[in-house]
Amino acid sequence: MGHPVESESGAAASFELPPGQRVQRGWPVTHYGPVPKFRPERWEFRVFGATADGDKHCWTHEEFTALPYTTVVADLHCVTKFSMLGAEWGGIPARTILELAPPAPTVTHVMVWAEYGFSSNLRLSDFASEHTIFATHKDGELLTAEHGFPLRLIVPHLYAWKGPKWVRGVEYMTADRRGFWEERGYHNIGDPWKEQRYSYQEEPGDGPEL
Ligand SMILES: Nc1nc2c(c(=O)[nH]1)N[C@H]1C(S)=C(S)[C@@H](COP(=O)(O)O)O[C@H]1N2
Ligand SMILES: [Mo]
């Protein structure tokens, strides 16, 4: 009931809207702050923090976009109540990153970092979902600048703020820590099916003290 449906195409889309959501025509742009300019020569994707080997792992834009490409069909749910259903996201699965730069066994959470210090925290299990994808494309076309070019994270089963646009790296953490919106009133977990919108709805164990 209302949970992601699996199909052979790697679909994480549902045929129902989470509670309180509505479908909006088109694809609105929602974010805090300016749209960063992409400078390929300065761009790198970094995995750091509690890696298994203790090292930092870096990819240039060329290296990162050469990683195996897959697609996931998924819905996008903004906490401000608009949803976009059934988009096909193309890019590099989060699992690929976990394989190439494995976390230490003590890692429980990740912080996903984007341009200008934007961040969002995820449980390792949410990041490791087979549907979590670093997207370079939507419906076969490169992302536009305002939608996150060159790279954004899509976590289909959580509210969209859990997927930073203009993502630049991942920090492996051995304890939970709040990201940008999670420090500013949004729920630490953000499951749209449970309508976990705001931090005041959190129950003990849902997140670190505010
Ligand atoms: N870097 C960054 N990524 C972000 C945000 C942001 O403020 N900064 N906002 C999030 C929110 S709240 C939503 S709803 C989606 C919106 O994605 P869209 O503009 O492509 O629709 O981006 C998410 N990613
Ligand atoms: Mo949002």
Side-chain angles (χ1 to χ4, degrees):
M1 209 192 62
H3 283 284
V5 175
E6 306 277 344
S7 87
E8 66 251 13
S9 64
S14 170
F15 300 101
E16 275 179 77
L17 276 176
Q21 295 295 112
R22 58 186 137 67
V23 174
Q24 195 160 313
R25 210 169 297 186
W27 187 11
V29 173
T30 315
H31 60 264
Y32 174 81
V35 174
K37 187 168 159 43
F38 173 53
R39 293 185 183 84
E41 69 290 352
R42 281 214 231 149
W43 194 95
E44 59 168 11
F45 187 90
R46 292 203 307 154
V47 176
F48 62 104
T51 56
D53 60 8
D55 288 340
K56 217 163 62 179
H57 298 250
C58 296
W59 289 262
T60 64
H61 184 250
E62 202 181 333
E63 289 165 346
F64 196 88
T65 52
L67 294 172
Y69 180 94
T70 45
T71 60
V72 169
V73 176
D75 306 330
L76 186 118
H77 307 297
C78 175
V79 70
T80 63
K81 303 201 169 175
F82 94 80
S83 288
M84 180 174 69
L85 301 181
E88 184 199 82
W89 305 97
I92 294 92
R95 284 191 174 182
T96 301
I97 301 308
L98 288 166
E99 279 161 26
L100 295 175
T106 47
V107 170
T108 55
H109 293 79
V110 305
M111 189 71 80
V112 182
W113 287 99
E115 301 287 354
Y116 301 133
F118 182 86
S119 62
S120 185
N121 57 316
L122 294 167
R123 296 176 292 200
L124 180 60
S125 56
D126 293 320
F127 184 70
S129 158
E130 64 175 309
H131 300 125
T132 299
I133 184 166
F134 288 100
T136 53
H137 290 70
K138 183 200 161 255
D139 295 323
E141 293 188 15
L142 268 185
L143 292 172
T144 57
E146 62 271 25
H147 286 301
F149 179 80
L151 195 66
R152 75 179 295 167
L153 186 67
I154 296 291
V155 189
H157 63 287
L158 299 178
Y159 282 118
W161 87 79
K162 289 290 187 182
K165 302 194 277 193
W166 315 294
V167 60
R168 289 290 300 276
V170 177
E171 177 185 357
Y172 292 153
M173 308 196 292
T174 56
D176 200 4
R177 210 168 76 224
R178 288 175 191 270
F180 183 89
W181 288 120
E182 295 81 5
E183 271 186 337
R184 289 168 176 77
Y186 288 108
H187 196 284
N188 192 57
I189 294 171
D191 181 342
W193 300 99
K194 296 182 181 160
E195 237 185 317
Q196 293 175 330
R197 296 179 190 273
Y198 308 111
S199 52
Y200 66 74
Q201 299 171 296
E202 286 175 18
E203 288 173 21
D206 282 348
E209 292 288 305
L210 263 166

